[in-house]
Every structure is written in C-alpha cells, then in structure tokens.
Amino acid sequence: MDIPIKPLIIGKVGKSYGILGWITVFSFTEKKEKIFSYLPWFFLKEKKWTKIKINNWRKYKKNFIVHIEDISDRSIVKNFTNSYIIINQYTLPLLKDNNYYWNDMLDCKVFNTNNNYIGQVINLIRTNNNDILVIKNKLSPFKKNILIPFIENKIIKNINIHNKLIIVTWN
C-alpha cells in the first residue's frame, strides 16, 4: 500500500538535523510520543506520497528527530521538509462506546438545545484553557465561522458520533 486508504494528519516534518539523514518532526497527537505508535507513516508534499519506515527516533527540545530507514544523507531527507505526516486512520486503536477521536467530530452537524441548526464542524483548535469547535455557518448573512468553546456538560451537551450530531448550549 503506497497511500493510506483513510488518511489522517498526525504531524508535520521540519528541517533536516545533522548530516546523516535525521529530520525534525512535530507531533499533533495529544500525547506527543504517541505519534510513534501509529506506523507506518506517509509523507505528503505537493500531492506526492512517500511511505516511510522509521528506524530510530529521540526527543529533541520540545519535538523529535527521526531517522528514516535506508536514508543517511541530509540532501535526500531535506526534500521531506514541510511534508505532512499522515497515517491510515485504521491504524488508530478502536475506542469503547461514547469515546471518539477529534477527527470523528469533523463534519458533525451542530444544533443548539432549542434545535436550531448552527452549522457544521470544520476544525478544532487546541488552546491552553479549552479546545474550540470551529463551525461553518452557511446560514449567517456574514458567512463567518462560529467558534464554540469545547466545555463538556456546560456548553457541549451531547456528541453523537454515529449520527454526526453535536448539541450545544449556544445561541
């Protein structure tokens, strides 16, 4: 398999490190080191897919450096700079009932507790205080995105991933 069936972005590639083919990576996973639990990786840059096998990695400052199998030259590995790190979503472990991944909330329809349609989830933003749902609102005359704090039980009342539906306390 040269490209993932159900692609999911879990990180990004930074600049090369040293002369022996190491490269910096930035993990988008909640627990940063978990990125190494989801292998194989695929790099995507300029619509070109490359399947990657990691043979070594270590923590470096707040991120990681990795060595890719069969590459020991800086000039080759630097071509991957700014690539997205993508996995096949099926690589993720199955979750028990009522648990979900962030990615599962994308495209969910959002209604308030009065059953008024607010919009559709197009992104999630992680902040220090709480996460934020980014909602595309096609009904608003201004057509601006709506940002809703992801505070469970207070603002986020119900998430039904199977029906792609989220209920919020929001006007």
Side-chain angles (χ1 to χ4, degrees):
M1 171 176 57
D2 292 332
I3 64 171
I5 296 168
K6 198 166 182 186
L8 178 66
I9 296 173
I10 62 167
K12 192 162 185 178
V13 179
K15 63 183 181 177
S16 57
Y17 175 87
I19 60 170
L20 298 176
W22 289 76
I23 196 159
T24 308
V25 297
F26 305 96
S27 174
F28 296 165
T29 58
E30 187 172 2
K31 293 179 182 169
K32 300 296 181 196
E33 289 187 6
K34 277 291 204 183
I35 193 170
F36 299 103
S37 300
Y38 311 127
L39 299 171
W41 289 354
F42 298 86
F43 288 173
L44 177 62
K45 184 176 179 181
E46 298 169 358
K47 298 182 182 177
K48 183 176 183 262
W49 292 92
T50 307
K51 188 174 181 180
I52 298 298
K53 289 185 181 175
I54 304 294
N55 66 359
N56 202 351
W57 67 272
R58 66 179 180 240
K59 191 151 182 58
Y60 176 71
K61 296 183 181 176
K62 292 184 179 181
N63 299 297
F64 302 97
I65 54 172
V66 301
H67 191 266
I68 301 167
E69 191 173 284
D70 298 327
I71 296 178
S72 57
D73 186 337
R74 175 188 185 101
S75 61
I76 295 171
V77 81
K78 75 177 185 180
N79 293 322
F80 295 126
T81 296
N82 293 324
S83 296
Y84 285 103
I85 302 170
I86 297 174
I87 61 169
N88 188 338
Q89 189 170 338
Y90 300 121
T91 305
L92 297 173
L94 293 176
L95 297 175
K96 296 191 186 324
D97 290 342
N98 300 326
N99 289 316
Y100 47 84
Y101 291 107
W102 266 34
N103 193 55
D104 295 334
M105 287 189 279
L106 294 177
D107 299 326
C108 280
K109 292 186 182 343
V110 180
F111 289 84
N112 68 15
T113 51
N114 295 328
N115 208 26
N116 296 323
Y117 180 69
I118 295 174
Q120 193 167 359
V121 178
I122 59 169
N123 198 4
L124 290 109
I125 301 171
R126 184 171 299 283
T127 67
N128 289 338
N129 296 327
N130 53 267
D131 301 329
I132 298 171
L133 288 176
V134 181
I135 312 297
K136 180 81 172 172
N137 182 353
K138 294 179 181 173
L139 304 178
S140 165
F142 306 111
K143 299 223 184 321
K144 293 202 177 208
N145 293 340
I146 298 170
L147 304 177
I148 298 178
F150 193 89
I151 303 172
E152 289 187 276
N153 299 326
K154 191 169 188 177
I155 295 176
I156 308 297
K157 292 297 184 183
N158 188 2
I159 298 175
N160 185 326
I161 293 300
H162 298 296
N163 294 323
K164 298 299 262 181
L165 181 66
I166 298 175
I167 307 296
V168 298
T169 304
W170 201 260
N171 291 327

